[in-house]
Amino acid sequence: MLSILRPGASLIYKPTFISRFISNVKVEPQANSGIEVNGNFYLKDEYTNVTPKILSYLNRNLHIQQNHPLCLVRDRIVNYFYKSYKNSRGNPIFSVYDNISPVVSVQQNFDSLLIEPSHPSRTKSDCYYINNNYLLRGHTTAHQSELIQAGLDSFLVIGDVYRRDEIDSTHFPVFHQIDAVRLHTRDQLFKNNDELQLFELGDNVEGGKQTCHTLEAVKLLEHQLKQCLVGLAQSLFGKDVEYRWVETQFPFTCPSWELELKYKDDWLELLGCGIMKQPILTEAGVVDQIGWAFGLGLERVAMKLYQIPDIRLFWSQDSGFLNQFKTATADTNVVYKTVSQFPQCKNDISFWLAENGDFNSNDFYDLVRTVGGDIVEQVNLVDSFVHPKSKQTSHCYRITYRHMEKTLTQEEVNLVHKKIEDEAAEKLGVKIR
């Protein structure tokens, strides 16, 4: 059935049976040993590294907040798929899931996508773990298998994803992503041809394709995928946008590509895509279909479309920012105008690392985010050296502070900076210089 989620939203087809496949195990709370996330309690362990600051971003749902720039981009992309892919009755064949909990299991986020146990994306320095079994999803791709198991063959998953990362104007620990999947049976891919097949003998990757797939199936699927995504790029950035395909590698697709667009004389990576690895489908109970998938970040598109200079602005509740999109629709060409440019304050922090060598820069960035909040614009490692006698390592970081809505005084910054120094010494075992 069709239902409208909110005023002005796109029509979204959501089978009611799907909800039972999208849930997390609820753990009863234990005194001083648990963490509450979205109303569920999880036991803490040595993997727990999610911070209260990161948890405060849950349930903001910027991608479905009416007239928010991320929602406008979301609607623009969804509308493209609704218009481009319809069944014989004229109804969209892609279903949309944009309110799935970001708490996923390790199996969902990694194992179901064939991501090896040794892959760096699994490390605590890259992910926000609730415990060793659960984490905040690092990509919306984490929901692929469960949706395929539910019987879906064409769908978009949209939501917030969480990754530990550096701090600058284009990186934030939370961003929003669209993941898409489309599966084909032999009859759907090779209409009116009884000779061509999807599969042949083989079970590995060789010669740029999976050996279980016929060359004809891969080439036709590649053509359909690239045609779809070039059309999407043109719908976002105009018919004359210059683009190129770059071969790459992902754990869950083969072959794989990135689509890059020429934007202001530079090449911008728009998305990653590829032919889904067949074991993912087999494990989900699908043995007679092959498919393609892609993933795209909403912030990256919105920053270019609307000329938004700082990723922190998406989280601003300042009316000077939000009112610029108040009357916009998905097809409105909005150019963001800076409300005011408040001055920066820059302070350096230098410290000796703990002698045991157990230090990761992402731990320091998370600490800075937790203490400084959104007034921290950028953190750069400006110097690193090893003392010739003691062999101790020293780091110097330059922290740039700027409030999005007012001028910060140096006195205000100094108080925050001193607290960062104290917290770093206490929690990371460093010695302030």
Side-chain angles (χ1 to χ4, degrees), residues 65-73 302-303 305-309 313-314 318-330 332-337:
Q65 180 180 315
Q66 190 174 6
N67 296 115
H68 191 281
L70 294 180
C71 182
L72 296 176
V73 172
M303 291 180 79
L305 278 180
Y306 306 129
Q307 299 182 33
I308 297 173
L313 279 165
F314 292 111
D318 179 61
S319 59
F321 172 71
L322 295 175
N323 282 348
Q324 296 189 36
F325 303 90
K326 189 174 182 179
T327 60
T329 66
T332 303
N333 293 320
V334 179
V335 177
Y336 168 72
K337 296 180 179 62

Side-chain angles (χ1 to χ4, degrees), residues 301-429:
V301 174
M303 291 180 79
K304 302 304 180 185
L305 278 180
Y306 306 129
Q307 299 182 33
I308 297 173
D310 194 309
I311 197 169
R312 292 178 300 161
L313 279 165
F314 292 111
W315 297 90
S316 173
Q317 298 185 45
D318 179 61
S319 59
F321 172 71
L322 295 175
N323 282 348
Q324 296 189 36
F325 303 90
K326 189 174 182 179
T327 60
T329 66
D331 297 322
T332 303
N333 293 320
V334 179
V335 177
Y336 168 72
K337 296 180 179 62
T338 302
V339 179
S340 60
Q341 189 65 43
F342 300 106
Q344 298 175 328
C345 293
K346 297 183 179 182
N347 284 20
D348 289 354
I349 178 172
S350 299
F351 47 75
W352 297 105
L353 305 190
E355 294 185 9
N356 61 14
D358 187 18
F359 179 85
N360 185 284
S361 291
N362 280 343
D363 293 331
F364 178 65
Y365 297 151
D366 260 349
L367 184 146
V368 173
R369 285 192 183 99
T370 298
V371 177
D374 292 341
I375 69 168
V376 177
E377 180 178 78
Q378 192 167 1
V379 180
N380 291 322
L381 177 62
V382 295
D383 185 51
S384 177
F385 76 93
V386 178
H387 193 281
K389 292 184 178 179
S390 68
K391 304 302 180 183
Q392 276 190 288
T393 299
S394 171
H395 280 188
C396 177
Y397 293 88
R398 180 157 298 151
I399 304 178
T400 303
Y401 301 88
R402 175 160 35 199
H403 203 290
M404 302 303 298
E405 299 162 12
K406 70 172 187 175
T407 298
L408 289 172
T409 66
Q410 190 61 55
E411 289 74 16
E412 289 175 310
V413 169
N414 288 344
L415 289 174
V416 175
H417 198 75
K418 180 62 168 63
K419 189 172 182 181
I420 290 173
E421 289 181 339
D422 293 343
E423 292 282 321
E426 177 184 349
K427 295 184 178 179
L428 301 181

Side-chain angles (χ1 to χ4, degrees), residues 48 249 255 429:
T48 305
Q249 291 184 339

